Amino acid sequence: MSSVLKLFILVLGVVFVVAVVFLLVKRRINERNSLPWLAGSLVILVLSAVPELLDFLARITGIDYPPALLFLLATLIILFILLYQSIQISVLQDKCRELAQHLAIINSSGEKTVHEKRGKMCMAKQEIAATCETEEALRETYDNRSD
Amino acid sequence: MEKADCLVIIPAYNEEENVGKVLEDIRNLKIALDIVVINDGSRDKTEAVVREAGEKVINLPYNLGYGAALQAGFKYAVSTGYEYVVQFDADGQHDPKDILKIFHKLRTSDCDIVIGSRFLEKSSFRTGALKKIGISVFRFLIRMTTGAKITDPTSGLQGLSKRVFNYYAVMGNYPEDFPDADTLINMILLNYRVKEIPAHIKNRNSGKSMHTGIKTAFYFIKMLVSILVVLLRKKSKVECLKNE
C-alpha cells in the first residue's frame, strides 16, 4: 500500500471520528446510536495503521484479492446498521401511533356531544320535576294540618 | 338517561360528503347507541360535519391509517366501558340496518366477532376481478390454516365483543393499515369465535376507494407476509407452551 493511500485512509478515519463526535456534541445523534459509527471509524483507523492485517485476514479466509474482503466486511456492516435502523424506525412508528391515539382521546375527553348534553338536560329536568313534586306534597301536608 | 352499552366506531378520512348522511341514517335507527367518529387527519370539513350532526369526534393529529384509526376507537371504547362495538365505514357503503342485526347477534349468541359479509347473499355490489381473486385466496388461506369458512375477510363492517376490542386496543395487537385475513386468522387461532351474517353493501356515494391500482397488488403481497408471520408467531407460542 502506498504511503499516500495510507495517509488518505488515515485522514478519512480521523474525519469520520471527528464528524461523529461533532454530531454527539451538537446532540444530533445520541450516544447509543453513535456506537456503530464509532466502531466503524475505529475499523478504518486500524486498517489504515496496519494494512497487513487485511492481507493476513484475506489469506486465512482464502480470498485472493484482499480488498474484496474489505468490501465484503464493509457491506455486511452497513447492512447490519441499516437493519438496526429499520428496527428502530418500526419501534418509533409504533410508539408514535400509540401516543397520537392517546393524545386524540385525551383531547376529546372534555367535550360533550349534543346527545350527551341532551341526556344531562333530561336528567336535570327529571330531578327538578321530582323536587317540585316533593315540595308540592309537603305543601299539601302542611295545608291539611293547618286546616 | 342511561349510558348505551354499544358504540359505533366510524373511522373517517376526508369524508365530508358522506359522513353526515351516514350519521343521520344511524341516528334514524332510533336505538340506544353511541357513535364516535375517528377523524383520521382529514384535510376537509369532516370534523365540522360530525360536530354539526352533534356526534362525538376524536381528531387524530395526523393521518395514521385505517387500522390505527379503528384502534383509537377501541381504546376509547375500553376507556369509557362499552360492552360491544361495531366498526362502520364513513363512505356510506354500509347499510345502518345491519348494525341492528350485528348487535342482536353479539347479544344473543356467544360470538366474539360478527362480520357483515357481502357475499353470503346476492347483492348489487360489484367488485373488480383482481380484488375478487385476492378475496378468494384469503378465503382459501383462512380455510387452510384455521378450518373456518369466512366468505368476506376484508369486510369493514364488523361487530366485536368486549373481549375482542380489549385485545385489539393493546399496542401491537392491531395492524395500522388494514385489518384483514391475517387479523382474523390470528383471532380464530386464539380461540375467539367468529360468525358471519349477510350484509348489504352499496356502491360508494362519492370519493375514492381505499384500494386502487398498484396498491392492491402491494396490499396482497403484504397480506400474504402478514399471514405467514401470524402463523409463525402462533407456532412459536405453541412451542413455548409445550416447553413450559
Side-chain angles (χ1 to χ4, degrees):
Chain A
M1 191 186 271
S2 72
S3 54
V4 178
L5 183 63
K6 204 169 169 179
L7 191 72
F8 176 71
I9 298 175
L10 196 70
V11 170
L12 200 73
V14 172
V15 167
F16 211 83
V17 174
V18 171
V20 175
V21 172
F22 178 77
L23 288 172
L24 268 171
V25 172
K26 287 277 171 192
R27 294 179 201 278
R28 300 283 291 273
I29 188 171
N30 60 22
E31 286 80 358
R32 186 187 155 95
N33 285 316
S34 71
L35 286 182
W37 299 113
L38 282 174
S41 46
L42 196 73
V43 171
I44 297 177
L45 281 176
V46 169
L47 282 180
S48 57
V50 199
E52 296 76 22
L53 192 69
L54 192 66
D55 294 335
F56 171 71
L57 285 175
R59 223 177 12 256
I60 59 168
T61 46
I63 295 170
D64 291 338
Y65 183 57
L69 177 66
L70 189 67
F71 293 135
L72 176 72
L73 286 177
T75 314
L76 284 179
I77 289 171
I78 290 170
L79 272 178
F80 170 76
I81 292 176
L82 276 177
L83 186 65
Y84 178 72
Q85 304 282 23
S86 286
I87 295 169
Q88 293 280 308
I89 291 170
S90 301
V91 171
L92 282 175
Q93 277 178 340
D94 282 354
K95 287 180 180 172
C96 216
R97 193 184 320 122
E98 188 79 5
L99 279 174
Q101 289 171 336
H102 277 283
L103 182 74
I105 292 170
I106 290 168
N107 276 345
S108 74
S109 61
E111 296 167 6
K112 288 270 174 285
T113 64
V114 170
H115 298 285
E116 282 168 326
K117 280 181 194 160
R118 211 173 283 156
K120 282 213 163 166
M121 274 171 67
C122 281
M123 275 168 70
K125 273 183 190 167
Q126 280 168 3
E127 274 173 22
I128 291 168
T131 320
C132 289
E133 274 172 21
T134 325
E135 274 181 13
E136 193 76 15
L138 279 171
R139 198 169 292 145
E140 268 176 27
T141 326
Y142 180 76
D143 288 348
N144 290 340
R145 259 193 214 163
S146 56
D147 284 346
Chain B
M1 200 170 102
E2 266 182 48
K3 189 171 141 326
D5 63 349
C6 307
L7 176 71
V8 178
I9 301 172
I10 308 176
Y13 177 57
N14 294 341
E15 291 287 3
E16 61 176 7
E17 290 169 42
N18 302 319
V19 76
K21 174 86 171 59
V22 169
L23 292 173
E24 194 190 322
D25 289 348
I26 297 175
R27 277 296 164 209
N28 282 341
L29 292 173
K30 306 266 185 228
I31 57 161
L33 52 76
D34 289 337
I35 302 173
V36 63
V37 176
I38 315 292
N39 178 23
D40 191 10
S42 300
R43 290 184 183 165
D44 62 359
K45 292 179 191 139
T46 302
E47 184 194 352
V49 173
V50 178
R51 285 196 192 281
E52 209 171 289
E55 300 299 347
K56 175 100 183 163
V57 58
I58 292 178
N59 289 304
L60 296 176
Y62 58 96
N63 184 246
L64 292 184
Y66 179 78
L70 270 176
Q71 198 186 33
F74 300 144
K75 285 184 164 74
Y76 172 74
V78 171
S79 68
T80 35
Y82 287 94
E83 291 296 321
Y84 308 101
V85 304
V86 166
Q87 53 185 74
F88 199 85
D89 284 356
D91 56 10
Q93 282 190 298
H94 296 154
D95 183 354
K97 286 188 194 105
D98 289 330
I99 293 178
L100 298 174
K101 285 194 259 171
I102 289 176
F103 276 140
H104 180 74
K105 189 86 182 166
L106 279 171
R107 281 182 201 278
T108 54
S109 67
D110 58 353
C111 295
D112 294 304
I113 301 174
V114 177
I115 303 172
S117 169
R118 290 165 280 187
F119 308 114
L120 277 181
E121 277 179 6
K122 274 193 177 175
S123 71
S124 61
F125 186 74
R126 294 274 167 273
T127 46
L130 207 62
K131 207 168 169 181
K132 230 176 210 172
I133 297 169
I135 291 174
S136 308
V137 173
F138 294 147
R139 261 184 218 165
F140 173 74
L141 285 174
I142 294 174
R143 192 82 191 262
M144 285 288 291
T145 52
T146 66
K149 198 181 169 194
I150 305 288
T151 59
D152 193 0
T154 55
S155 175
L157 177 66
Q158 292 189 17
L160 313 171
S161 70
K162 196 173 189 173
R163 214 159 75 93
V164 176
F165 67 78
N166 270 331
Y167 175 83
Y168 281 164
V170 176
M171 181 176 154
N173 279 359
Y174 203 65
E176 61 183 305
D177 42 13
F178 300 106
D180 204 317
D182 54 341
T183 317
L184 275 179
I185 291 174
N186 185 40
M187 295 312 273
I188 297 169
L189 292 178
L190 288 172
N191 293 326
Y192 288 90
R193 290 168 294 266
V194 183
K195 283 262 168 64
E196 280 189 314
I197 60 159
H200 307 101
I201 313 284
K202 292 173 268 181
N203 290 312
R204 282 179 66 85
N205 287 351
S206 65
K208 240 174 78 182
S209 166
M210 288 186 295
H211 305 289
T212 45
I214 188 101
K215 277 187 185 167
T216 315
F218 174 77
Y219 176 73
F220 181 75
I221 295 166
K222 199 223 106 185
M223 191 49 58
L224 291 182
V225 174
S226 298
I227 291 172
L228 188 72
V229 171
V230 165
L231 294 174
L232 286 174
R233 271 190 200 140
K234 175 72 186 171
K235 204 177 164 197
S236 63
K237 207 171 175 181
V238 170
E239 273 165 12
C240 277
L241 287 172
K242 269 183 196 166
N243 291 336
E244 270 171 15

